[in-house]
Amino acid sequence: MRLRALLETEALGLRLLGGEEELDRTVRGVMTTDLRDPSRYLSGGELVLTGLAWRRNSADSEPFVRILASAGVAGLAAGEAELGAIPDDLVSACLRNRLPLFAVNEDVAFATITEYVVRQVSGERAGDLAAVVDRHRRLMTSGPAGGGPDVVLDLLTTDLDLRAWVLSPTGRQIAGAGEPLAPGICAALASEHLAAVRTGRRGPHRISIQGITYSLFPIRGVARGAGPGGRDVRESVLSDWLLAVEADAGDWPAERLDLLQGVTQLIAVERDRRDAARTVRRRLAQEVLELVQTGAAPAEIAARLRVAAPVLLPGLGTAPHWQVVVARVDWEGGDISGGPVAQSLLEEILVDPSVSGPEPSDRIAVAHAGDEAIALVPLPALPGDGGEETGPDTALHADALLASVREPLAAGLADDGRLTLGVSAAVHSAEGLRGALEEARHARRVAAARPGRVCAAGHHELASHVLLLPFVPDDVRRAFTARLLDPLRDYDRRHRAELIPTLEAFLDCDGSWTRCATRLHLHVNTLRYRVGRIEQLTGRDLSRLEDKLDFFLALRMS
């Protein structure tokens, strides 16, 4: 389509502010952004929509427009909702750089313009897939009648013979055409996508798994005024969906690439709808959290929980148990708030990875305060448990939460981010929530003291020496373990005596000579000789509790 077609459509509410001689430019797509430098997301020919949030003063217009012109965009449309009239400095910059500039009436949503452009471009260049664009409104409705992104993916299969899936950043399948992908493949696709985005590679990204090539397209929100990733890619990389297509897009013509980009924009409408639906649950979590942290009366907290329960567990006949999960995302440099990222991640992590579809998170309420995200997770009481305990089949466990998502998240966090997570025990009353929150926070601090990009700890670790060990300073650890274990390691290196494995087995068998000898397949006399050598080299006595404890801690900290 041509730029001038935009002016001929009154419903779009566009006014031309400059560049009339350039109106025959071809529009190949549309992108909404408020990034100061969106060049990494531009491939040329786009109509760029902006809410002007990137503009802080008049000096910002020239660099922004120059970046768009260098990328070969077709034109720029600026919304009037943020600043009212379009600034003169932006008009002048567009004239100098020969970039057509449109003003968007504040009553017209960017999604309306996006919808129109996608419809026109897809209709002109891919008549065999016109039905996809004609049925785009089904993406914006909820329930079975709407169909969501599955409608578009089904038509990609029937009309273009392309199998495709929509995945979350953790690799969970949200929608798909045909057989679902294996969890391992989903995790690998998400990992490749996140790694490519973090390194600034332009999509679509391609990856071959088990002899099959997949092309990965990012899916970003098209809500009015929202850019593809905020001011920094780290603010959205762990929340954006992706479209995985079973095909090698490297040899595709520009028309088909444009079509798939249009499809991602249609699917993005579903993502925006889902994010809007989360507002109620987030507000419920925020209200309960504020009551808990300000020391409100248990009766007041209980009343708020009674409001939350029907929303999070519709149809539940009895009051649920609750668990609290605390997560934090930290970026090196500390210049980016990790709270919104942690909130989005926690909403995804708490969904059963085996469950497909965009809706399972409707029963999870997550708030964020500063760099910390806090989830209030309802757990139905098991039948016959008297309302006192939550069964093992429903309670959350820290390690299990991260087991299937560790690989993709590590790729998204790259070398400058960390995710730490803590899980409380289940409580069944308002009185227990304050303790559960503190318990989850303590567990998260235990996780933060461990090495690794993605770490979690549970409430059961707070009543163990495991709680204390991570907080021992590194220099104290090294000195303590070296004093006890280095003589044994040196001896093992010289004589292959296996004193360290013998010590570990002896302590694990609670000092039982018979059980330890059996485990190591040794004669008891041989075991006694080795233990004697350990005592001789270290000056310790393994019959004394204090020395056993020192060896045990040294092995744990080494």
Side-chain angles (χ1 to χ4, degrees), residues 17-71:
L17 300 182
E20 184 175 1
E21 66 280 3
E22 303 291 336
L23 289 180
D24 285 327
R25 290 186 181 185
T26 299
V27 179
R28 297 173 53 194
V30 61
M31 188 191 78
T32 302
T33 186
D34 275 318
L35 285 172
R36 297 170 69 85
D37 180 4
S39 57
R40 70 167 66 193
Y41 303 109
L42 298 171
S43 56
E46 296 94 348
L47 172 67
V48 174
L49 307 176
T50 180
L52 299 178
W54 50 266
R55 183 185 178 276
R56 297 172 185 170
N57 55 57
S58 59
D60 292 335
S61 293
E62 180 68 27
F64 180 78
V65 172
R66 190 179 298 124
I67 288 171
L68 299 188
S70 298

